[in-house]
Amino acid sequence: MSLPPCDPGALDVLKARQRRPHEAGFFFRDTGFDRACVKVLPGEYFVYDQDVAITTTLGSCVAACLHDPGSGLGGMNHFMLPDGAAEAGGRFGVFAVGLLVNGLLKRGARRGGLQAKVFGGGQVLRSLARTYVGERNVAFVRSFLSQEGIPLLASDVLGTWPRKVVLFPRSGKVLCKRLAPAHAEDYVSQEEHYRSQLVQQQARGGEVELFT
């Protein structure tokens, strides 16, 4: 896939930005795509108007990628469960999708112009097989998009694969790579760490291309 050139100073611009609550803040140079890259961790989101690479890795978690072609704005989130305690913020879908939509609208996107692509929700660990976390995450985001009238253009969800997802926010292009199930634990250990934190908090009351 051919990509437009990225400003060589984009990485410095990203690092200099003031970070908002729940906004991704890990920036690096991706040599494969030859551009600045933003890594979205569980509970985070990121919105931008240039074709840097916004990336995340998913197990049973889901990432929604939203894009407004009219404004050239796009963004991605990464959530772990459909709903839960408010203090967990972006780790729950009900807050994560709201953060992403609001982030886009504040930067000038049009609500009526938003389009969605959705990824993740894989059953990658046997320990989660009976919880149906992935299925619940996918059902939630599909329901949310339907209620908000945001068309779902494409998705790669469920199955048994972890996934790496890359969004180019200005163009809205998304790449999705299915990772080897045999090494799922290597990819979702961080996801499990965040999920265990959520369980503790609750206990206290509180268009798509596959690439290789």
Side-chain angles (χ1 to χ4, degrees), residues 87 197-206:
E87 60 266 25
Q197 291 181 331
L198 292 186
V199 172
Q200 292 172 4
Q201 289 174 351
Q202 289 179 304
R204 292 195 299 268

Side-chain angles (χ1 to χ4, degrees), residues 183-200:
H183 302 292
E185 293 187 11
D186 296 338
Y187 301 116
V188 299
S189 59
Q190 184 179 65
E191 184 177 298
E192 287 302 289
H193 170 71
Y194 281 104
R195 181 174 286 109
S196 67
Q197 291 181 331
L198 292 186
V199 172
Q200 292 172 4

Side-chain angles (χ1 to χ4, degrees), residues 20-96:
R20 298 177 176 86
H22 307 293
E23 187 177 35
F26 182 62
F27 310 114
F28 61 99
R29 184 79 182 176
D30 188 299
T31 56
F33 293 116
D34 189 28
R35 64 195 55 240
C37 185
V38 184
K39 185 172 181 61
V40 178
L41 299 175
E44 296 182 341
Y45 77 101
F46 197 78
V47 170
Y48 212 54
D49 60 357
Q50 300 297 321
D51 270 334
V52 300
I54 303 177
T55 183
T56 198
T57 303
L58 305 163
S60 60
C61 291
V62 162
C65 298
L66 299 184
H67 178 243
D68 173 24
S71 65
L73 282 160
M76 174 195 292
N77 63 14
H78 179 152
F79 66 88
M80 307 190 69
L81 294 169
D83 51 41
E87 60 266 25
R91 297 175 191 170
F92 287 110
V94 66
F95 300 105

Side-chain angles (χ1 to χ4, degrees), residues 74-211:
M76 174 195 292
N77 63 14
H78 179 152
F79 66 88
M80 307 190 69
L81 294 169
D83 51 41
E87 60 266 25
R91 297 175 191 170
F92 287 110
V94 66
F95 300 105
V97 183
L99 284 169
L100 179 56
V101 171
N102 289 336
L104 286 161
L105 297 181
K106 287 178 181 178
R107 289 181 64 93
R110 300 167 299 114
R111 181 179 287 273
L114 294 178
Q115 303 172 343
K117 299 174 183 178
V118 173
F119 306 89
Q123 182 182 308
V124 298
L125 293 179
R126 292 183 180 179
S127 60
L128 296 175
R130 296 183 180 180
T131 65
Y132 302 102
V133 173
E135 290 91 336
R136 289 162 52 207
N137 283 334
V138 171
F140 162 78
V141 73
R142 283 176 169 166
S143 175
F144 180 97
L145 294 171
S146 177
Q147 291 174 10
E148 294 297 316
I150 300 174
L152 177 58
L153 300 187
S155 63
D156 189 65
V157 297
L158 304 179
T160 59
W161 312 277
R163 292 168 170 90
K164 179 179 180 180
V165 179
V166 184
L167 165 69
F168 302 96
R170 185 169 182 81
S171 64
K173 285 280 189 181
V174 183
L175 299 178
C176 177
K177 180 178 182 179
R178 294 176 179 178
L179 305 173
H183 302 292
E185 293 187 11
D186 296 338
Y187 301 116
V188 299
S189 59
Q190 184 179 65
E191 184 177 298
E192 287 302 289
H193 170 71
Y194 281 104
R195 181 174 286 109
S196 67
Q197 291 181 331
L198 292 186
V199 172
Q200 292 172 4
Q201 289 174 351
Q202 289 179 304
R204 292 195 299 268
E207 176 178 347
V208 177
E209 297 180 42
L210 298 180
F211 70 104

